[in-house]
Amino acid sequence: MRDFVRGLVLWAAATILTASWTGARAAEQPPWIACGDRAMVASDSAHASVAGVALLKTGGNAIDAAAAVSFALGVTRPYSTGLGGGGFMIARFADGRVVVLDYRETAPAAAVADMYVVEESRARPEQPLRSRVGPLAAGVPGVLAGWDYALKRYGAKSLADVIRPAARLASDGFPVDEHYVAAAAAVLKKYRRHPRLTTACGYVYETH
């Protein structure tokens, strides 16, 4: 009995110390660490994360929130993702089901195995690689089709609902960070180095 009581006291002391240590560690956490009890949205864009949370607060599920984040990232991180690309999704549902969707971009129907070899042989040395820059470098996008399927099959919201936050970001604007500025500057530099791109891949450049 004495050994049992001693063990119980030691266990209680260890529990208290662990709780105190955990609480101290939590207090020391940097401000960019967030905790949630029921749901959480994380991305490398605060605007996109807010879009996902907004869908959850209005009755959307995790699929809806993920789609809203994806579309918002297409606006706030256009150099990393967007409607012109593709993706894949792995989702685990509450009942244990695991779903994998592949909506990566694919080659155009007219593409052939040696088209880049042929194009590069015709290009001048100062021209950018056709497989990396220009219209031939683009695949057939899969993002919109992928999310449309996911929302119809597993979502609680419509495609219009989840796109709305991204549309607001695109129309109203948002503060850009240093990563966005650096990516835009790199693209502009490439256009200046290869003026032909202004006609092959047209764009609108405005300064404010």
Side-chain angles (χ1 to χ4, degrees), residues 137-197:
V140 177
V143 163
L144 191 58
W147 281 118
D148 182 53
Y149 176 86
L151 291 168
K152 288 177 179 176
R153 189 75 183 271
Y154 309 110
K157 297 285 189 177
S158 68
L159 184 63
D161 289 332
V162 302
I163 286 180
R164 196 165 288 117
R168 281 197 296 267
L169 286 168
S171 61
D172 298 344
F174 58 94
V176 298
D177 57 22
E178 65 274 12
H179 299 290
Y180 190 107
V181 173
V187 172
L188 183 60
K189 182 178 180 181
K190 189 164 293 186
Y191 270 80
R192 286 172 173 168
R193 185 184 307 158
H194 307 290
R196 182 177 172 277
L197 291 176

Side-chain angles (χ1 to χ4, degrees), residues 85-162:
F88 59 90
M89 179 178 68
I90 302 175
R92 185 182 187 279
F93 297 92
D95 59 5
R97 288 178 302 148
V98 176
V99 172
V100 179
L101 298 181
D102 180 0
Y103 45 95
R104 288 300 302 268
E105 58 271 53
T106 57
V112 293
D114 63 344
M115 71 176 187
Y116 290 129
V117 176
V118 173
E119 289 295 329
E120 295 303 340
S121 67
R122 298 172 180 170
R124 296 190 299 273
E126 70 275 9
Q127 290 181 331
L129 291 174
R130 305 293 181 90
S131 60
R132 298 288 300 276
V133 179
L136 292 181
V140 177
V143 163
L144 191 58
W147 281 118
D148 182 53
Y149 176 86
L151 291 168
K152 288 177 179 176
R153 189 75 183 271
Y154 309 110
K157 297 285 189 177
S158 68
L159 184 63
D161 289 332
V162 302

Side-chain angles (χ1 to χ4, degrees), residues 30 49 146 155:
S49 296

